[in-house]
Amino acid sequence: MTHPQDQHPPQDARTLPTRDHDASEVLLERVRQAAATGTALRLVGGGSKGFYGRPVVGETLSLAEHTGIVNYDPVELVVTVRAGTRLADLQAVLAQEGQQLAFEPPHFGENATVGGTVACGLSGPRRPWAGSVRDFVLGTRMITHDGKRLHFGGEVMKNVAGYDLSRLMVGAQGTLGIIDEVSFKVLPRPAASATLRLEMGLGDAMARLAEWGRKPMPITGAAHDGETLHLRLEGGASSVANTQAQLGGETDDTAFWTQLRELELAFFSRRHDDRPLWRLSLPHRAPPLALDGDTLVDWAGAQRWLRSELPAATIRQHAAQAGGHATLVDRDRAHGVDAPFTPLSVVMDKYHRQLKAKLDPKGIFNPGRLYEGL
């Protein structure tokens, strides 16, 4: 692997220029200094997902200058990119090759970065059919608590050395180390796409989705807004056309999926509804929960957004009884929350603390971001 200073200026869409070829060394030195003084670091990429989790008190360490595509092989469907690279820039490069990040990550702002995408571990409407962020991470290079680089995983699916540790970085929100580089598996963009609206209640929609799930239909999005089932079909032109003719319904605006992914529908607007917003992660076939409030269903029932004034304990109890969990998602922090994520069980808390102590013994990386004391 060559360093940026050894490379010629990019000649095609497969390479993004690095804004500062010394950025990586700066990061290493800042981490060594923090470790030596016991200084907490607040890791920041584009700042677009700062609302997701608990606030961190510490010295800000920005990864915004650590940018660029290290390697991109469209034939092998693999791209390796630095953590500070803007997500939009990476997706533009992939699009020129007719490829995409199939897990459809949300941006929540134009400065969203690759590192933040992996650290938060959030996926878009295609997740149940294509897979999650974790499923597409082939390997990572991370900066450890003592200012060293370690490489885990690789750039092919068959390379499993360190694969699980790479996956641990997904959703860890920077609490275990700094993501330096990430290798993703990418996939071709679908040849055809269609979005449908079918007027039906939630119960009927869930029954239909269960039935359609047993058939080879090219469904890659299914959301219910309380009155209407929104479906996305993607795949070969004939498959999409035949399925559309079979299901019927009205053609819908494809922008719906972007607005859903980015939490830009009216349902998510504080101006529309200022009640706390909850994200419920549940089994696909879990019945509607007996909770006061309004619900928007995504992921064919596995992800449900809830607007409710109910106490956190009540909402989490119902989610747990259904086999899932609940997270408070407050983009404006208007409700102020000490524990946005479901509290850990005694056993899981023990494992989390052991892992944190092993990978970040001095507690310098995003302390308290996920849970107090971690």
Side-chain angles (χ1 to χ4, degrees), residues 28-96:
L28 291 172
E29 182 57 31
R30 287 284 301 279
V31 171
R32 294 186 191 114
Q33 293 175 0
T37 60
T39 302
L41 295 175
R42 174 177 169 267
L43 309 180
V44 177
S48 63
K49 300 175 182 65
F51 66 91
Y52 189 64
R54 303 175 74 250
V56 175
V57 177
E59 184 178 297
T60 299
L61 177 58
S62 173
L63 281 79
E65 298 296 322
H66 190 48
T67 64
I69 291 179
V70 177
N71 180 55
Y72 178 27
D73 190 335
V75 176
E76 294 295 330
L77 300 175
V78 173
V79 63
T80 299
V81 60
R82 296 185 180 92
T85 304
R86 287 201 326 146
L87 183 58
D89 291 340
L90 171 60
Q91 290 177 315
V93 170
L94 297 178
Q96 291 189 36

Side-chain angles (χ1 to χ4, degrees), residues 187-325:
L187 292 179
R189 299 177 65 149
S193 176
T195 297
L196 307 177
R197 291 170 51 93
L198 294 91
E199 303 298 328
M200 64 179 69
L202 178 58
D204 288 342
M206 296 297 290
R208 294 281 188 90
L209 288 170
E211 176 188 348
W212 296 336
R214 295 189 290 268
K215 300 178 180 180
M217 291 184 171
I219 297 175
T220 63
H224 194 276
D225 62 11
E227 299 177 351
T228 302
L229 174 63
H230 303 259
L231 279 182
R232 180 173 59 190
L233 309 177
E234 291 181 323
S238 61
S239 177
V240 169
N242 290 338
T243 304
Q244 183 173 0
Q246 179 181 347
L247 297 181
E250 300 179 1
T251 301
D252 201 1
D253 187 352
T254 58
F256 172 85
W257 302 106
T258 299
Q259 294 169 353
L260 173 60
R261 183 192 73 204
E262 300 298 331
L263 306 186
E264 293 176 347
L265 295 172
F267 178 89
F268 300 108
S269 171
R270 285 287 311 286
R271 293 191 299 271
H272 173 76
D273 191 336
D274 64 357
R275 289 174 296 177
L277 176 65
W278 289 87
R279 175 181 177 268
L280 310 182
S281 181
L282 303 170
H284 283 84
R285 298 186 182 181
L289 304 188
L291 293 169
D292 291 334
D294 294 321
T295 302
L296 187 152
V297 175
D298 191 11
W299 294 3
Q303 178 172 253
R304 305 182 194 181
W305 297 95
L306 172 69
R307 285 284 193 186
S308 177
E309 295 281 6
L310 289 173
T314 300
I315 294 174
R316 285 177 169 147
Q317 179 183 5
H318 279 75
Q321 290 173 345
H325 56 84

